[in-house]
Amino acid sequence: MIKGVFLDVGGTLYSYRNLRQANLQLMGTLASRLDLEHDVAEVAGHYRHANQDVDRQMAGLPFYLFHDYFELIFRKFLARIERPHLQHHFDWWEEHQRVTLLDALTLQPDCAETLSRLKTSGLYLS
């Protein structure tokens, strides 16, 4: 008998349809903030590769904090663009990225109704 349902956030409860545009805007803001000569696509490519490197590096860890994860991505990104001295921008970046990406997420149309029906059926939701 099923007693509970564990739901992931992305794609299940929230739609990712606005994330691509939000990420491009983020990369443009980052390039401007760091006074980079790179175009937005190049900045995005460097950030994506840094993200992939960190994903591989942290995949085997039993746990980690998102703060540490995103800080390492930022450090690797700065290393890729040969600007490690700009690490002091991380606190700004972490907050700006969090707010921008959360604002870009939209609830799936049937999210609230589905969760309500599951909950009233007696299932534990996580």
Side-chain angles (χ1 to χ4, degrees), residues 8-11 14-21 104-106 108:
D8 69 334
V9 174
Y14 292 90
S15 169
Y16 281 162
R17 75 176 150 267
N18 299 326
L19 281 182
R20 179 173 164 73
Q21 184 60 35
L105 296 175
T106 56
Q108 296 286 17

Side-chain angles (χ1 to χ4, degrees), residues 22 26 30 37 55 64 73 92 107 122:
L26 271 170
L30 181 61
E37 308 84 37
D55 284 350
Y64 54 85
I73 293 169
W92 163 82
L107 281 177

Side-chain angles (χ1 to χ4, degrees), residues 112-125:
E113 178 188 345
T114 300
L115 290 175
S116 178
R117 289 177 69 197
L118 289 170
K119 189 70 176 170
T120 58
S121 73
L123 291 171
Y124 171 80
L125 303 177

Side-chain angles (χ1 to χ4, degrees), residues 85-110:
H85 62 282
L86 297 176
Q87 177 62 32
H88 62 278
H89 288 279
F90 175 71
D91 290 338
W92 163 82
W93 172 247
E94 182 179 37
E95 179 63 13
H96 186 71
Q97 180 186 41
R98 184 186 66 78
V99 169
T100 301
L101 294 180
L102 286 176
D103 285 349
L105 296 175
T106 56
L107 281 177
Q108 296 286 17
D110 61 345

